[in-house]
Amino acid sequence: MIREVSFKDLSLLQQITNDYLYTDKLNDFCQFKPSFDELKNAIDKRSNFPVDREALHSVIKKQYASLKMDDLATKNLDLLLDSNTFTITTGHQLNLFTGPLYFVYKILSVVSLAKYCAERFQDKNFIPIYWMASEDHDLEEIASIKIKGKKYKWNTTQTGAVGRMKVDGIDLVIEELEKVIENKKAISLLKECFIGVDNLTAGTRKFVHHLFGKYGILILDADDKELKRKFSDVLKEELFHQSSFSDSGVTSKKIEEKGYKTQVYPRPINLFYLKDNLRERIEKESDIYKVLNTSISFSDSDLLKEVNESPERFSPNAVLRPVYQECILPNIAYVGGGAEVSYWLQLKSVFDSLKVFYPMVLMRDSAI
């Protein structure tokens, strides 16, 4: 028997997330109420914010080159070229073998919502997207999985963006799991996906595609030079004017004045410098831009040249990653966990200032 329970009856969410979902107290901090009735409004407004569909299609097609795509995923990829096609996105870190169960819930949530939208708005197309947080550098947070109460950890000394890390040593984790997981098919799948691939991004893409490709999910790694080029205007605004710091700061203060705790803490420059095995914050000191914990520094002119020639070397933090997403995807809704919903509310003024579409923000489904 399946029984549906409202989040507000479970006392699981922060007050800010609960109030956002079930009251009007935070309407000033969102573009659309988190309701099915608002979907048409989101679709209509999204149409006024075009993206480079050909570039997006080309990048995803290239990223899938080594995989056999399911029929629905292939169809969805080609539909991205249609101006009547919209995306519904969730994102998550590259947790080892998916890690926590809500990794799965988030993907199933966007699959379900895309199906709902397709049934309700039959003249439009809706594609579920899994955004890989491949540029994240918090290895400790993603490098383990708990099975039957025991933690299994991938031990590696690599640094930088986790998606770029080689999979050396993951085979040892799989060997340990083989002793406790009786399902030989599952072990075989882990070996197929994570042994012999280029990096953790490639392994995770292969694994998620095997699990969810038949539902039409498209997996996007935005750590890509061509996609970052579409984001370069925002990169320049951030580096040379730092508007996101003041915009999000004002909004965060208003949220705190309402008695809520804020989730993210913006910095004057909300970008990292990303190169090889390095992902470090950028700070401006006098007239020089420094990459922390390195000897790398730039003048204004040097930094402008770097953005123009190598935009892939600039990686957004939690404040600007959502903006990057909306710059390259024809997205109408983002589906996240409670903490994500909370910090998106701090960002609407950033989107408005940059003239970037702010999507509907929805809470993922859950199950037990």
Side-chain angles (χ1 to χ4, degrees), residues 155-169:
N155 292 306
T156 179
T157 58
Q158 296 176 81
T159 58
V162 296
R164 299 182 178 189
M165 292 180 180
K166 301 299 182 185
V167 294
D168 302 346

Side-chain angles (χ1 to χ4, degrees), residues 203-216:
T204 304
R205 180 190 296 112
K206 194 171 185 179
F207 191 50
V208 172
H209 175 67
H210 179 90
L211 296 175
F212 304 108
K214 62 185 176 182
Y215 302 115

Side-chain angles (χ1 to χ4, degrees), residues 185-254:
K185 185 178 179 181
I187 295 297
S188 177
L189 176 61
L190 292 179
K191 291 178 178 178
E192 178 187 342
C193 294
F194 290 96
I195 295 178
V197 294
D198 289 340
N199 49 39
L200 186 60
T201 289
T204 304
R205 180 190 296 112
K206 194 171 185 179
F207 191 50
V208 172
H209 175 67
H210 179 90
L211 296 175
F212 304 108
K214 62 185 176 182
Y215 302 115
I217 192 88
L218 292 182
I219 303 159
L220 175 62
D221 174 19
D223 183 7
D224 179 272
K225 183 171 186 174
E226 187 60 31
L227 295 181
K228 287 284 177 70
R229 202 177 295 285
K230 307 302 173 184
F231 190 52
S232 61
D233 286 346
V234 175
L235 293 176
K236 293 171 188 176
E237 172 67 28
E238 181 66 13
L239 290 166
F240 300 116
H241 302 290
Q242 293 107 49
S243 60
S244 72
F245 179 63
S246 55
D247 291 334
S248 58
V250 170
T251 301
S252 298
K253 184 177 180 181
K254 289 179 180 178

Side-chain angles (χ1 to χ4, degrees), residues 128-313:
I129 298 282
Y130 164 49
W131 177 289
M132 310 178 84
S134 57
E135 296 177 38
D136 186 82
H137 62 267
D138 192 343
L139 177 63
E140 186 64 29
E141 193 167 0
I142 65 100
S144 62
I145 186 169
K146 188 174 285 188
I147 304 286
K148 297 181 179 179
K150 183 178 177 181
K151 187 176 182 179
Y152 297 86
K153 185 175 181 180
W154 173 36
N155 292 306
T156 179
T157 58
Q158 296 176 81
T159 58
V162 296
R164 299 182 178 189
M165 292 180 180
K166 301 299 182 185
V167 294
D168 302 346
I170 285 184
D171 57 326
L172 301 179
V173 185
I174 296 174
E175 285 181 16
E176 288 297 307
L177 292 180
E178 202 166 3
K179 299 173 184 177
V180 295
I181 295 178
E182 297 177 0
N183 188 324
K184 302 304 178 186
K185 185 178 179 181
I187 295 297
S188 177
L189 176 61
L190 292 179
K191 291 178 178 178
E192 178 187 342
C193 294
F194 290 96
I195 295 178
V197 294
D198 289 340
N199 49 39
L200 186 60
T201 289
T204 304
R205 180 190 296 112
K206 194 171 185 179
F207 191 50
V208 172
H209 175 67
H210 179 90
L211 296 175
F212 304 108
K214 62 185 176 182
Y215 302 115
I217 192 88
L218 292 182
I219 303 159
L220 175 62
D221 174 19
D223 183 7
D224 179 272
K225 183 171 186 174
E226 187 60 31
L227 295 181
K228 287 284 177 70
R229 202 177 295 285
K230 307 302 173 184
F231 190 52
S232 61
D233 286 346
V234 175
L235 293 176
K236 293 171 188 176
E237 172 67 28
E238 181 66 13
L239 290 166
F240 300 116
H241 302 290
Q242 293 107 49
S243 60
S244 72
F245 179 63
S246 55
D247 291 334
S248 58
V250 170
T251 301
S252 298
K253 184 177 180 181
K254 289 179 180 178
I255 289 174
E256 289 170 350
E257 287 172 350
K258 286 180 172 288
Y260 303 109
K261 291 183 179 179
T262 47
Q263 191 70 33
V264 295
Y265 301 96
R267 298 183 181 278
I269 296 178
N270 292 289
L271 294 169
F272 293 92
Y273 190 70
L274 180 66
K275 188 178 180 181
D276 302 325
N277 60 350
L278 170 75
R279 188 180 188 242
E280 291 284 353
R281 282 175 36 220
I282 302 169
E283 285 192 353
K284 186 177 183 181
E285 296 182 13
S286 298
D287 295 327
I288 299 297
Y289 295 84
K290 294 185 176 181
V291 179
L292 297 188
N293 303 312
T294 76
S295 60
I296 301 170
S297 63
F298 301 94
S299 65
D300 279 1
S301 58
D302 290 338
L303 192 62
L304 181 60
K305 181 181 179 184
E306 187 81 345
V307 173
N308 287 332
E309 294 181 358
S310 303
E312 74 280 7
R313 293 180 180 172

